[in-house]
């Protein structure tokens, strides 16, 4: 059984698109556009499906806040028993505000500052994922100065090649900036084991993101398991085997990830090692729960291209222009007929587009479009370029809805600017 059983929270009824029990037209009128809409039940369903798939091994699902860190969503996930994976002091603050206990948080990131490392150790997070020799030194120093023993894991670069990944989201190959280079791990482990200020409790990797083919996981898991055995022989008191994130979302015609196969790859290996499994999914949990609603402002044929100019663009969803990513776009209430268009935003950049050369519902000014699978790396990567306030986030749960993040105001955007310039002497 694959995860193809996962539902589609956005369904058409009476010719118009709904999120669970709420019509998107109604939301667009009530909160305005652009707006991100999320289905609470889609989040719950994905968490539960993964949790059930991993039932045969002791495991912890640490949702990766980098995909979307809004409190309203975090609270839905926390209520399900989900935990948190953070990569900055800011995300640590968000996880704590959403009610996650320190013990339910792991802290990673390739460029942690000393104060962030200290804050993570001080708040007693479950694991600090160390990514380099220099970072290990800082962790030891900070734990010593706090008079404590920090629980750490090594994030290693599994040096697994992932075919088809956009080069910007490939992370786990030799030569990427992430993780401890494979060959350095045993020496670093010896250093950690010699220190009374850190406890080497886990091994962590992140093979890559949007892994529509699970084979790279198989390679990564086998490699990490061999390393775990080596470190256990060295005397490391390992408790956790962290397989990272990377489960994919459906953007176009992809299959849902086969969670049974995912479990089949990981569960026996981790059980054999006698460790607890950690996974750090971001995209899989949140991407498909969301549509970005945008209103068509103009239709403008120019130089052979039929532009649909909308009130959302790269500032609300950077993925198309940054990764050449595909996001399905449809009219909330189609008028009938199709057209091949470029769906673009209002930003003064030629790279400001949501879809190019796309055959889709033929829209007119005033129509509302739904841009699908916008929940992961959407709001969190939003820009305020051209002084355009960030759009609100709306959570739907059954027939109810709530604004969980308000629309930013123009005052919010200029709040940090000094009203009068106060000079300091050189
Ligand atoms: N754990 C680590 C260590 C990671 O680096 C990442 C993502 C995750 C977990 C979560 O991965 P996921 O399950 O979401 O694939 N902005 C890009 C994606 C960057 C992902 C970076 N690392 C995008 O929009 O595609």
């Amino acid at each position: 059984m694959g995860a193809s059983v996962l539902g589609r929270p956005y369904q058409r009824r009476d010719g118009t698109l709904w999120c669970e029990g709420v019509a998107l037209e109604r939301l667009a009128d009530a909160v305005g556009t652009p707006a991100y809409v999320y289905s609470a039940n889609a989040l719950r369903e994905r968490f539960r499906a993964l949790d059930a798939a991993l039932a045969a091994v002791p495991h912890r699902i640490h949702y990766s806040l980098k995909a979307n860190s809004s409190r309203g969503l975090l609270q839905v996930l926390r209520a399900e028993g989900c935990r948190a994976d953070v990569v900055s002091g800011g995300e640590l603050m968000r996880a704590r505000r959403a009610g996650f206990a320190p013990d339910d948080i792991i802290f990673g990131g390739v460029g942690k500052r000393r104060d962030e490392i200290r804050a993570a150790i001080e708040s007693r997070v479950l694991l600090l994922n160390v990514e380099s020799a220099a970072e290990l030194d800082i962790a030891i120093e900070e734990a010593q100065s706090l008079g404590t023993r920090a629980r750490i894991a090594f994030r290693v670069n599994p040096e697994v090649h992932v075919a088809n990944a956009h080069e910007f989201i490939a992370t786990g190959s030799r030569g990427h900036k992430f993780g401890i280079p494979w060959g350095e791990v045993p020496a670093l482990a010896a250093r950690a084991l010699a220190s009374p200020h850190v406890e080497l409790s886990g091994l962590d990797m992140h093979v890559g993101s949007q892994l529509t083919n699970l084979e790279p996981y198989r390679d990564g898991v086998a490699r990490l398991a061999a390393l775990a055995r080596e470190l256990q022989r060295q005397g490391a008191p390992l408790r956790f085997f962290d397989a990272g994130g990377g489960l994919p979302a459906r953007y176009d015609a992809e299959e849902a990830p086969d969670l049974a196969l995912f479990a089949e790859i990981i569960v026996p290996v981790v059980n054999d090692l006698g460790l607890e499994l950690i996974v750090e999914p971001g995209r899989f949990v949140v991407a498909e729960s969301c549509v970005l609603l945008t209103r068509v402002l103009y239709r403008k044929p120019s130089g052979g291209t039929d532009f649909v100019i909308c009130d959302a663009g790269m500032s609300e969803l950077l993925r198309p222009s940054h990764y050449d990513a595909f996001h399905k776009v449809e009219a909330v209430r189609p008028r009938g007929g199709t057209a091949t268009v470029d769906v673009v935003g209002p930003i003064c950049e030629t790279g400001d587009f949501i879809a190019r050369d796309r055959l889709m519902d033929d829209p007119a000014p005033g129509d509302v479009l739904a841009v699908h699978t916008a929940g992961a790396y959407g709001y969190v990567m939003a820009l305020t370029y051209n002084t355009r306030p960030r759009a609100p986030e709306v959570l739907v749960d059954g027939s109810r809805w709530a604004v969980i993040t308000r629309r930013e105001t123009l005052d919010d955007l200029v709040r940090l600017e000094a009203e009068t310039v106060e000079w300091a002497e050189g």
Side-chain angles (χ1 to χ4, degrees):
M1 178 198 69
S4 43
V5 292
L6 288 176
R8 301 269 189 188
Y10 295 89
Q11 302 280 352
R12 221 161 254 298
R13 241 188 272 162
D14 305 327
T16 190
L17 203 58
W18 292 63
C19 175
E20 301 195 22
V22 179
L24 294 177
E25 280 178 323
R26 153 115 183 80
L27 284 181
D29 287 342
V31 303
T33 55
Y36 304 85
V37 178
Y38 300 86
S39 152
N41 283 305
L43 298 173
R44 295 187 184 110
E45 191 186 16
R46 274 145 189 83
F47 174 81
R48 287 176 194 167
L50 183 57
D51 196 35
L54 299 176
V57 63
H59 67 275
R60 309 166 59 107
I61 300 176
H62 286 257
Y63 165 70
S64 215
L65 264 73
K66 65 173 78 77
N68 189 312
S69 53
S70 298
R71 174 149 64 170
L73 305 183
L74 296 180
Q75 284 170 338
V76 169
L77 291 170
R78 194 175 68 84
E80 292 295 308
C82 191
R83 296 171 164 107
D85 164 40
V86 305
V87 291
S88 67
E91 285 189 354
L92 178 60
M93 179 274 285
R94 282 178 177 274
R96 298 287 287 124
R97 261 174 96 234
F100 291 95
D103 214 37
D104 286 335
I105 300 173
I106 54 181
F107 191 110
V110 68
K112 306 176 198 74
R113 291 191 317 259
R114 181 181 284 272
D115 60 294
E116 292 176 307
I117 293 172
R118 188 177 176 88
I121 295 174
E122 202 167 15
S123 62
R124 306 281 318 145
V125 294
L126 181 75
L127 291 171
L128 176 76
N129 287 342
V130 168
E131 295 211 18
S132 68
E135 196 190 330
L136 175 62
D137 290 341
I138 294 180
I140 291 172
E141 283 166 26
E142 291 303 323
Q144 179 167 20
S145 100
L146 287 164
T148 183
R149 185 171 163 86
R151 264 186 317 250
I152 63 167
F154 280 170
R155 174 175 175 187
V156 304
N157 181 341
E159 299 188 356
V160 169
H161 177 69
V162 178
N164 323 319
H166 186 277
E167 65 164 318
F168 292 175
I169 63 166
T171 52
S173 299
R174 199 175 148 84
H176 284 139
K177 72 175 174 180
F178 301 100
I180 300 169
W182 190 260
E184 285 181 27
V185 177
L188 233 62
R191 221 148 103 196
L193 292 174
S195 166
H197 302 294
V198 290
E199 181 178 309
L200 181 53
S201 308
L203 271 184
D204 170 35
M205 68 172 176
H206 176 68
V207 173
S209 211
Q210 184 64 7
L211 298 177
T212 46
N213 169 4
L214 296 179
E215 286 312 304
Y217 264 118
R218 201 185 289 281
D219 296 348
V221 164
R223 285 171 64 80
L224 202 68
L227 194 58
R229 288 223 165 69
E230 195 175 330
L231 297 195
Q232 282 173 331
R233 276 195 298 272
Q234 269 182 271
L238 295 184
R239 286 171 54 199
F240 301 104
F241 184 101
D242 184 342
L247 282 171
R250 289 172 291 189
Y251 288 95
D252 189 2
E254 300 96 332
E255 294 273 309
D258 185 343
L259 296 181
L261 175 62
F262 180 69
E264 200 180 295
I265 291 171
I266 292 188
V267 167
V269 176
V270 179
N271 270 334
D272 204 43
L273 287 163
L275 298 178
E276 190 171 342
L277 174 65
I278 292 178
V279 285
E280 306 169 350
R283 189 191 311 269
F284 168 77
V285 176
V286 76
E288 290 174 36
S289 74
C290 171
V291 296
L292 168 65
L293 295 180
T294 178
R295 211 175 274 277
V296 177
L297 300 173
Y298 303 102
R299 193 72 181 263
K300 179 172 170 179
S302 176
T305 302
D306 190 354
F307 290 104
V308 174
I309 302 177
C310 299
D311 64 4
M314 66 189 292
S315 41
E316 286 71 26
L317 189 64
L318 189 56
R319 303 192 72 257
S321 67
H322 197 46
Y323 311 114
D324 208 14
F326 178 96
H327 285 259
K328 182 178 161 198
V329 185
E330 63 180 327
V332 165
R333 184 182 286 277
R335 301 167 171 271
T338 56
T340 299
V341 298
D342 275 24
V343 181
V344 301
I347 306 292
C348 302
E349 295 277 341
T350 301
D352 174 29
F353 59 86
I354 287 178
R356 282 195 295 187
D357 203 17
R358 181 72 60 82
L359 179 65
M360 59 169 280
D361 301 319
D362 195 359
D367 288 358
V368 178
L369 305 180
V371 183
H372 284 270
T373 325
Y377 311 108
Y379 188 82
V380 286
M381 292 175 73
L383 313 171
T384 57
Y385 184 38
N386 287 188
T387 305
R388 297 181 62 254
R390 285 178 299 173
E393 296 187 292
V394 177
L395 183 65
V396 173
D397 195 355
S399 59
R400 300 184 307 171
W401 60 273
V403 174
I404 54 168
T405 308
R406 286 198 309 269
R407 189 181 298 285
E408 203 165 32
T409 64
L410 292 176
D411 280 342
D412 289 334
L413 284 178
V414 295
R415 203 182 52 218
L416 302 179
E417 291 175 11
E419 263 174 53
T420 53
V421 178
E422 310 236 347
W423 301 103
E425 272 313 318

